[in-house]
Amino acid sequence: MKTPPRKTTAASYKAEIKKNAAVLKPPVKRKPAAAKRTKKRSYRGLRISIAIFILIIASPFYYRYITSGFTAAWHWINDIGEDSNYRHYKSFNIHVSEKYSIHGIDVSYAQGKIDWPQVKAMEENGLRISFVFIKATEGEQFVDSFYQRNWREAAKNGFTCGAYHFFRPEKSGKLQAQLFLKTVKLEQNDLPPVVDIEKLDGVSPEHMRVELNEFFKVVRHKTRVKPIIYSGLSFYRDYLKGHYDEYPLWIAHYDKPEDNINAAGDWRFWQHSSQATVNGIHHAVDFDTFKGDTTSFRQLLIH
C-alpha cells in the first residue's frame, strides 16, 4: 500500500533548516587554556607596572629628588671658575664653605624695618638663616630704637636670638653693663650676651681692658653667663688676644680664606660678609656662620 506524502508545514520546514545548518556549521576552534592564562598574567603585570609608575611620578618625594638633583647640577655649573672651597649663594650675595651648616645675620637700626617672615622663608640650595644677633645698646645711654621690635618679631618667627652691646672704651664699663642689662631680658635658649669691641676711641689698650673687665664683671654676676666677644680680626690680634681667650669669640673677617681667623683664636662665629642681601631687609646685612654642628650650637645657648 503506498504511503501518502506528509504534508509540510511552516514549523516543520524551519526545524529542518535549523537541523541542516547545525550539521554544516564548522566546529569552533578553542584556544589553549595555558596561552589564555599567560596573556592574562601579562596584562595584569603591565597594569601593576603602570600603577607603580604613576605612583612614583605623582609622589612629592620624586619631584623633590629630581628638583634637588637639578638644583645641585645647576649650582655646580654656576660655580665654575669660583674658589672650589666656597659655594656662591647668589640670592644671598655670599661665598661660604659648605662645611658650615648653621648661618645667621646681625642687625640694628641701620637695616630699618625688617619683614621677618620673608627673612625666615628665604632659602637657597639648603642654606637658610637660623640665628640673629640684634643690637640693643651702645655706650652709657644709647638704646637701639629697633631693638624691641626686632627681638619680638625675630623670636616670633622662630629665630634663635642674641643681643649685643657696642662698647665704648672711654665710657664706664660698669654703667654700660647696667644699661645693657636694663634693656635686655635674656631667657633660656637665647644666645649669650655679646660685647662688640672694635675701637679704642682714643684711650690706651690698657684703659680699654680695665673698662671691659668691669663690663664683664657686672654682666657675668647678673646673668651667670660668659659673654661672647665680637671684634675685627686685626683689633682682636692687637689688643684682645691672650687676655680673653676663655670667652667665646665672634670674629669679623671678610676675606674668604680662613687661615687668618683660625690662627687668631678658637672662634665660634665668623662674620664673613657685610654686604649680604636678604629678603625682607632693604639694606646690606652682615652675614655670619657658626663653627660646629647643631649639638654644639645648642650647648652654647643659655640654659
Side-chain angles (χ1 to χ4, degrees), residues 92 94 102-112 114 116 119 128-137 144 146-147 150-151 154 159-166 191-198 228-232 250-254 269-278 280-290:
F92 287 99
I94 61 169
I102 303 175
H103 306 277
I105 56 176
D106 52 281
V107 299
S108 69
Y109 66 90
Q111 277 70 48
I114 297 173
W116 286 102
V119 178
R128 56 175 55 85
I129 296 166
S130 58
F131 68 86
V132 183
F133 285 113
I134 302 169
K135 183 175 183 178
T137 51
D144 191 296
F146 280 85
Y147 168 71
N150 282 336
W151 186 275
F159 293 102
T160 300
C161 298
Y164 74 90
H165 173 83
F166 191 92
L191 284 159
V194 177
V195 58
D196 177 345
I197 173 68
E198 49 189 284
I228 297 170
I229 292 179
Y230 166 90
S231 189
W250 173 15
I251 201 79
H253 182 57
Y254 305 140
F269 295 92
W270 174 22
Q271 186 185 91
H272 53 81
S273 175
S274 61
Q275 297 297 317
T277 57
V278 176
I281 304 178
H282 303 297
H283 301 274
V285 187
D286 296 330
F287 213 92
D288 308 281
T289 290
F290 175 75

Side-chain angles (χ1 to χ4, degrees), residues 3 73 110 140 157 258 269 283 289 296:
T3 305
E140 296 176 349
N157 282 276
E258 299 169 38
F269 295 92
H283 301 274
T289 290
S296 57

